[in-house]
Amino acid sequence: MTAAPLTAVPAYAAPEPKAPLERITIARRPVGEHDVLIEIAYCGICRSDIHQVEGDWGPAPFPMVPGHEIAGVVTEVGPAVSRYAVGDRVGVGCFVDSCRRCDNCRAGLEQYCARGTTNTYPAGPDGTPAYGGYSTHIVVDENYVLRIPEGIGLAEAAPLLCAGITLYSPLSHWQAGPGKRVAIVGMGGLGHLGVKIARAMGAEVTVLSQSLSKQDDGVRLGAEHFHATSDPETYRKLANSFDLVINTVSAPLDLNAYLGLLTIDGTLVNVGLSAEPTPIGLFSLIGGRRSLAGSMLGGMRETQEMLDFCAVHRIGAEIERIGADEINAAYARVLAGDVRYRFVIDAATVAAPVAETA
């Protein structure tokens, strides 16, 4: 049994760069042979959504419907779909296609596709607009859809599709686990999930945050130690302490100071992205055979592994549910650091009367 064909759906979009988001109608493609139609239940707000709307990352097509932390339920499948059925709980993350032929794609590292992934938004391969998850429905190829296990609520699962995998991937790759000392820099939408996941992996977890204002939360979520990076004494006390430091902060940092926190053969991994150049003193690396690295998302196989891991350990994002009419206020609060720890849009509220048509 399939749902009626669906092409026009409500969404929230920025009509032009830096403009407030407003309700419009968008067109979704018909369900193809390998496609899945998803009724969106929740979509998380990622800081990158704000960067995109503000035009910080270069030209992009408008109107722009952001959203790449999507959780919902399958309502229709194409005739050749084998992985999903109507009623399945599913999610969609930051990309919805890749070349599928390069060495990286064949190795399950689609996020590093040599020809480039097709992002969930803002543009398709031909440069035309691609609409994200601030909407009621989305059509996605089954190969780029994830199964959300029953152990996680859909609202709490939505941010795992970006923030969760962004932390899980480096923690897994650099083998966080028993006997490893891990520091998470920043206690925000990314960092709070890093704390939960690293602790569930069995690592000894420390939070390095600008202040101690979130210390109680950090300890509640699994951190054994919490230190303020605004205190210069922190760097002296913690010198040579960590096997792995993961920086989730998008503001510029003195990475040399954080490299000094690593033990021999330790690694500093950056998942936060500052727009400003960051100077590195090579003595910060050479002195302890340390490594400076970066990490971006995870492939489809690893993202599913992350969701299954989080279900077993009952890990979901700490969220604040909002209605679609609160998106612009939520953006302002994200920029002010006023969220603990991820805004999630209730997609049912997107379906109010439509104001404009794209």
Side-chain angles (χ1 to χ4, degrees):
M1 179 178 179
T2 60
L6 181 66
T7 55
V9 299
Y12 265 71
E16 58 186 15
K18 302 185 184 301
L21 278 73
E22 58 191 39
R23 187 179 291 107
I24 67 170
T25 296
I26 61 172
R28 294 294 190 192
R29 72 173 187 263
V31 176
E33 279 202 359
H34 291 278
D35 284 338
V36 172
L37 173 63
I38 301 166
E39 182 176 2
I40 299 170
Y42 297 97
C43 185
I45 292 178
C46 178
R47 194 181 184 103
S48 63
D49 296 341
I50 302 174
H51 286 300
Q52 292 278 17
V53 167
E54 291 292 304
D56 296 339
W57 291 349
F62 283 81
M64 181 184 292
V65 177
H68 57 215
E69 297 182 338
I70 301 166
V73 177
V74 175
T75 58
E76 182 182 349
V77 298
V81 169
S82 60
R83 299 186 179 194
Y84 300 101
V86 171
D88 286 350
R89 292 157 36 99
V90 295
V92 179
C94 297
F95 58 92
V96 291
D97 207 351
S98 63
C99 81
R100 314 188 196 196
R101 298 184 302 276
C102 71
D103 290 344
N104 294 343
C105 284
R106 290 179 180 276
L109 299 171
E110 298 95 340
Q111 75 274 31
Y112 302 121
C113 176
R115 294 175 176 84
T117 58
T118 298
N119 292 333
T120 306
Y121 83 96
D126 59 357
T128 58
Y131 300 122
Y134 294 13
S135 178
T136 58
H137 296 78
I138 191 169
V139 179
V140 181
D141 185 291
E142 66 171 325
N143 292 291
Y144 296 84
V145 175
L146 287 308
R147 189 176 303 279
I148 297 176
E150 290 293 338
I152 322 170
L154 289 178
E156 291 77 14
L160 298 179
L161 277 303
C162 173
I165 186 57
T166 296
L167 271 295
Y168 181 90
S169 187
L171 286 167
S172 176
H173 181 78
W174 277 277
Q175 300 179 335
K180 292 291 185 73
R181 294 163 296 174
V182 174
I184 304 294
V185 183
M187 183 64 184
L190 295 175
H192 90 282
L193 284 169
V195 171
K196 288 187 173 188
I197 293 168
R199 181 59 182 271
M201 289 178 169
E204 179 182 335
V205 184
T206 296
V207 173
L208 303 175
S209 185
Q210 178 69 14
S211 73
L212 299 179
S213 63
K214 297 178 181 178
Q215 183 170 6
D216 289 346
D217 281 356
V219 172
R220 174 176 60 84
L221 298 180
E224 296 176 66
H225 315 284
F226 201 107
H227 296 275
T229 56
S230 56
D231 182 358
E233 186 67 9
T234 292
Y235 302 96
R236 188 193 66 80
K237 289 191 304 185
L238 298 179
N240 308 305
S241 291
F242 301 108
D243 302 295
L244 178 63
V245 175
I246 300 183
N247 171 30
T248 72
V249 176
S250 58
L253 297 179
D254 179 2
L255 295 186
N256 296 292
Y258 288 91
L259 285 166
L261 303 179
L262 295 170
T263 187
I264 299 294
D265 291 326
T267 302
L268 169 59
V269 182
N270 290 278
V271 298
L273 183 62
S274 170
E276 300 181 24
T278 305
I280 297 293
L282 292 182
F283 282 108
S284 301
L285 297 171
I286 292 170
R289 202 164 62 187
R290 299 173 176 123
S291 298
L292 177 64
S295 179
M296 182 178 69
L297 302 171
M300 299 306 297
R301 183 169 59 236
E302 186 176 47
T303 305
Q304 187 62 62
E305 176 186 292
M306 176 274 302
L307 288 168
D308 295 341
F309 176 90
C310 287
V312 168
H313 294 276
R314 295 295 190 267
I315 294 173
E318 304 287 306
I319 64 168
E320 181 177 335
R321 288 182 178 85
I322 62 168
D325 60 350
E326 300 174 89
I327 291 173
N328 293 308
Y331 274 25
R333 287 180 57 191
V334 169
L335 294 174
D338 180 26
V339 54
R340 294 195 179 182
Y341 284 90
R342 206 68 156 182
F343 286 116
V344 172
I345 303 163
D346 181 347
T349 65
V350 175
V354 173
E356 294 186 24
T357 300

